[in-house]
Amino acid sequence: MELAYYSDYAVRLVNTEEPVRGKDTLTSVEAVRDLFGGNHSAARRATDADVTRFRSVRARLRSVFEAADGGDETLAVDLLNSLLLEFPVSPQISGHDFRDDDGRPLWHMHLADHPSNATAGYAATAAMGLAFHLTEYGVDRLGLCEASPCRNAYLDTSTNRSRRYCSDRCATRANVAAYRARKRLEADRPENTGRADDSAQPTTASGERRSEPRGR
């Protein structure tokens, strides 16, 4: 498993809340456990006390995305470094049960955590994964959805650094809104009546309208 994979832990946690909409799905220990995905052993460590702790880590991770999205590269790195210091991990080489064609383990890097609680383990994994993603692809690859009022976090892995939305749904909604705005603007423009504008008549040097000679 590539270490950058763990960055998805950060995105999943941050997106349990939509501040602008006033929505928060991180309200129970079951919601906390769902964040661990297939890591059932880590999920089982979660207790009711982790709900509050997870929310605190979530706010700090969102601050990283907000700083990156706002172009403050140094602040984003400083905020992430503070999480790395508080929630350390131990990188280890792992092979699990996967084998290649020759029967050898498929060695890869794995993050081994030694947490005192479920929050510490999750925070360590999320922060380290986000750090690897940031250093591999750049701070500007951490973004917040531009489709108001969404503001969900996302990781831009596009080849041309062009991602602006957290999902296809938000991209479609934003495009439709922009299309309707253009149509409203076009409808509000004065229609061309076909009559010549008086301002188009020739003028003298002083700005007065020049009289055209009368026909005989």
Side-chain angles (χ1 to χ4, degrees):
M1 183 181 297
E2 297 180 1
L3 293 180
Y5 162 84
Y6 291 110
S7 58
D8 189 54
Y9 275 55
V11 173
R12 289 207 301 269
L13 178 53
V14 170
N15 290 346
T16 59
E17 181 184 30
E18 296 183 61
V20 178
R21 290 189 172 119
K23 293 183 178 180
D24 188 347
T25 61
L26 192 58
T27 57
S28 65
V29 66
E30 288 77 16
V32 169
R33 288 170 179 162
D34 287 343
L35 288 169
F36 286 92
N39 192 346
H40 303 297
S41 60
R44 283 194 293 269
R45 292 199 299 261
T47 67
D48 289 330
D50 284 299
V51 176
T52 301
R53 290 194 287 255
F54 260 70
R55 286 180 171 178
S56 176
V57 173
R58 178 181 65 188
R60 294 171 67 181
L61 286 170
R62 175 170 282 278
S63 294
V64 175
F65 279 92
E66 289 174 341
D69 188 67
D72 196 335
E73 184 171 333
T74 301
L75 178 58
V77 170
D78 287 345
L79 291 171
L80 189 51
N81 273 335
S82 68
L83 284 165
L84 292 169
L85 289 171
E86 186 173 345
F87 302 106
V89 295
S90 302
Q92 293 182 347
I93 300 174
S94 176
H96 292 306
D97 297 325
F98 301 103
R99 303 282 175 173
D100 62 14
D101 294 337
D102 297 325
R104 297 175 301 183
L106 296 177
W107 300 114
H108 60 274
M109 293 300 297
H110 177 77
L111 297 183
D113 56 69
H114 310 284
S116 56
N117 53 65
T119 303
Y122 193 99
T125 303
M128 182 61 74
L130 200 57
F132 272 96
H133 190 94
L134 184 152
T135 53
E136 177 71 17
Y137 300 106
V139 177
D140 58 339
R141 293 301 189 116
L142 279 60
L144 293 174
C145 186
E146 292 185 14
S148 179
C150 179
R151 304 302 283 168
N152 272 349
Y154 66 82
L155 299 171
D156 185 1
T157 56
S158 63
T159 56
N160 57 354
R161 301 173 182 264
S162 60
R163 185 169 179 179
R164 298 167 56 198
Y165 307 105
C166 69
S167 65
D168 290 339
R169 179 182 179 183
C170 277
T172 300
R173 183 160 53 85
N175 289 334
V176 170
Y179 172 78
R180 289 175 176 171
R182 288 195 301 271
K183 287 299 182 181
R184 286 195 298 269
L185 182 62
E186 292 173 0
D188 290 340
R189 289 174 182 168
E191 294 184 1
N192 185 0
T193 61
R195 292 177 298 182
D197 193 324
D198 287 342
S199 63
Q201 295 180 15
T203 61
T204 64
S206 62
E208 298 176 351
R209 291 192 182 90
R210 180 182 301 155
S211 299
E212 295 293 335
R214 296 178 181 272
R216 295 182 180 177

